[in-house]
Amino acid sequence: MAKVLEGLYYSESHEYVRVEGDFGFIGITDYAQNALGNVVYVDMPDVDDEVEAGEEFGAVESVKAASDLISPVSGTVVEVNEALDDEPELVNKDAYANWIIKVELTDKSELDNLMDAQNYEAFCNK
């Protein structure tokens, strides 16, 4: 069973957002990294790029598949997780500790469109 953490926001495309103040840390869920298998590359946007809720912002590639990353929220990229350039497999070790991008949120009400832990768990079990 994939790990689902309380206090995060989840999208149907298996990204999560951890909100800290006006910032959101976006990554893929444990369910997603399990489904992908061994991650070999993470394609990330550049700092200062704009991301839009529901739009692609990068990709995760594993030995068996590539998956687009869909932003659950809109914002400006203020940081990318550079550790993933050298060690993309960190996503497999702990998907929640190894976020992909940090954005300054432009519209916090978009979080209302996302699932909480209980709803995401139910969604994954369908």
Side-chain angles (χ1 to χ4, degrees):
M1 172 84 188
K3 185 167 68 172
V4 178
L5 298 186
E6 290 291 334
L8 303 181
Y9 297 89
Y10 296 90
S11 68
E12 289 189 2
S13 53
H14 304 289
E15 287 83 15
Y16 69 83
V17 184
R18 185 178 81 239
V19 177
E20 291 181 11
D22 292 329
F23 297 96
F25 293 82
I26 301 172
I28 63 169
T29 65
D30 193 48
Y31 180 92
Q33 72 80 20
N34 271 332
L36 281 165
N38 294 335
V39 173
V40 294
Y41 179 70
V42 181
D43 180 31
M44 297 177 274
D46 295 322
V47 169
D48 293 331
D49 280 1
E50 298 288 324
V51 296
E52 291 289 324
E55 300 288 317
E56 183 186 327
F57 71 86
V60 176
E61 293 177 22
S62 70
V63 285
K64 60 183 186 184
S67 181
D68 289 340
L69 294 166
I70 308 297
S71 186
V73 291
S74 302
T76 304
V77 178
V78 292
E79 195 178 335
V80 297
N81 188 346
E82 292 178 1
L84 300 178
D85 284 337
D86 296 327
E87 292 184 87
E89 66 276 6
L90 288 170
V91 171
N92 294 121
K93 289 188 178 126
D94 188 339
Y96 297 114
N98 293 290
W99 50 273
I100 296 171
I101 60 172
K102 176 182 176 184
V103 299
E104 186 168 0
L105 301 167
T106 50
D107 183 1
K108 280 191 170 174
S109 73
E110 290 175 340
L111 296 168
D112 298 339
N113 303 327
L114 301 172
M115 292 175 273
D116 63 13
Q118 282 178 314
N119 288 325
Y120 180 68
E121 212 163 319
F123 175 76
C124 291
N125 289 331
K126 275 190 208 161

